[in-house]
Amino acid sequence: MLKLLSALVATLLFASSLCAEELFCLNAIEKGDQGARPVRCRVGETDPLNLKNNTDINSVMELFGLDPTTIVFKGCEGLGFHTYGTADSSGAKYLISYSSEANEKAIAAVIHELGHVVQLNYYGGYASLLKRYPSIRIELGADYLAGIAYKLVLNEKDLKGFEQNIELAGSYMPSSINDEHGNPSKRNQAFRLGVFDESNSQSAAKLHQNFQDNRYARIQ
Ligand SMILES: [Zn+2]
């Protein structure tokens, strides 16, 4: 366990292109030259934006039915937005990494990551999630859940700005035909399907399932 955590921390501290080989990682795409940028994490700076105590993040965790004690946040300059499976002595199961440079813009992208935690909980981990859906459906599912979060608890924020900030979670590469997050149009459609979804009385996990079964096909 300790070894796993040490390896994870080492990865977070020293790797810039974090996700390509990580088993429990979502959001593998890095944009252009930024993939080679060094990550500068200060020792002891674990959650510089204090997302653990952020009101919006906590409201969304409650909406999504997530236990806050199972999630830890790790931010530093240049770090990407990703969700990892982890195992530490505090009992956390997931580590969400974020770029501290994004400041308040990080909120929307981290909410996309919380959508991944909903998926991982519901489908029983990354391997079974990936067996069930291709990456693009997983990513658009997280954008859809961010739309649900926007509609139900964050709707005083500017819709357009929030929608754009979600895209910090994974970068769109125009030249790539293998982009795992979907192009901006697909991402906007998935997010807006969440914002304007009328079936809002179910759990986040059930809404996500409904997205995959009935809504995803509407995205063009
Ligand atoms: Zn993602």
Side-chain angles (χ1 to χ4, degrees):
M1 294 288 215
L2 197 59
K3 207 171 171 186
L4 175 68
L5 186 63
S6 313
L8 176 68
V9 170
T11 306
L12 286 173
L13 290 177
F14 299 114
S16 55
S17 189
L18 288 170
C19 284
E21 307 298 327
E22 290 283 335
L23 181 60
F24 294 103
C25 187
L26 297 165
N27 295 348
I29 301 291
E30 297 284 344
K31 190 175 187 178
D33 295 340
Q34 290 182 8
R37 206 154 51 123
V39 173
R40 293 177 290 278
C41 290
R42 289 187 203 99
V43 174
E45 188 177 68
T46 53
D47 181 13
L49 299 185
N50 196 19
L51 296 187
K52 188 179 173 54
N53 296 308
N54 181 281
T55 314
D56 292 335
I57 296 290
N58 277 283
S59 299
V60 174
M61 285 198 281
E62 189 179 346
L63 174 73
F64 283 178
L66 303 177
D67 176 354
T69 66
T70 63
I71 301 168
V72 289
F73 298 97
K74 164 79 182 171
C76 61
E77 200 179 328
L79 198 56
F81 291 89
H82 304 289
T83 302
Y84 300 83
T86 186
D88 75 6
S89 53
S90 71
K93 288 171 63 184
Y94 304 104
L95 186 149
I96 293 179
S97 70
Y98 65 88
S99 166
S100 54
E101 294 159 290
N103 294 316
E104 71 277 7
K105 290 182 179 173
I107 302 293
V110 166
I111 287 167
H112 167 102
E113 300 303 327
L114 291 174
H116 286 319
V117 176
V118 171
Q119 296 168 325
L120 291 166
N121 274 342
Y122 190 68
Y123 297 105
Y126 184 72
S128 31
L129 174 62
L130 204 56
K131 205 178 285 179
R132 183 140 184 167
Y133 298 113
S135 294
I136 189 163
R137 289 184 76 133
I138 296 171
E139 296 304 338
L140 294 178
D143 287 334
Y144 166 82
L145 284 174
I148 293 287
Y150 178 87
K151 176 182 64 168
L152 295 180
V153 294
L154 302 168
N155 53 27
E156 289 183 358
K157 294 186 184 300
D158 169 58
L159 176 72
K160 195 77 200 152
F162 188 88
E163 187 174 35
Q164 283 169 352
N165 293 340
I166 288 172
E167 292 178 15
L168 291 171
S171 302
Y172 171 58
M173 300 170 75
S175 60
S176 170
I177 54 167
N178 296 315
D179 181 19
E180 297 186 11
H181 284 81
N183 65 39
S185 167
K186 283 186 174 16
R187 297 196 68 181
N188 292 348
Q189 289 177 61
F191 172 73
R192 291 193 178 226
L193 280 170
V195 172
F196 299 108
D197 201 318
E198 284 163 13
S199 52
N200 58 12
S201 58
Q202 305 167 63
S203 70
K206 296 278 184 208
L207 285 170
H208 175 266
Q209 187 63 61
N210 188 48
F211 167 80
Q212 296 294 354
D213 293 345
N214 302 308
R215 305 275 194 267
Y216 178 79
R218 295 186 197 171
I219 295 175
Q220 297 171 348

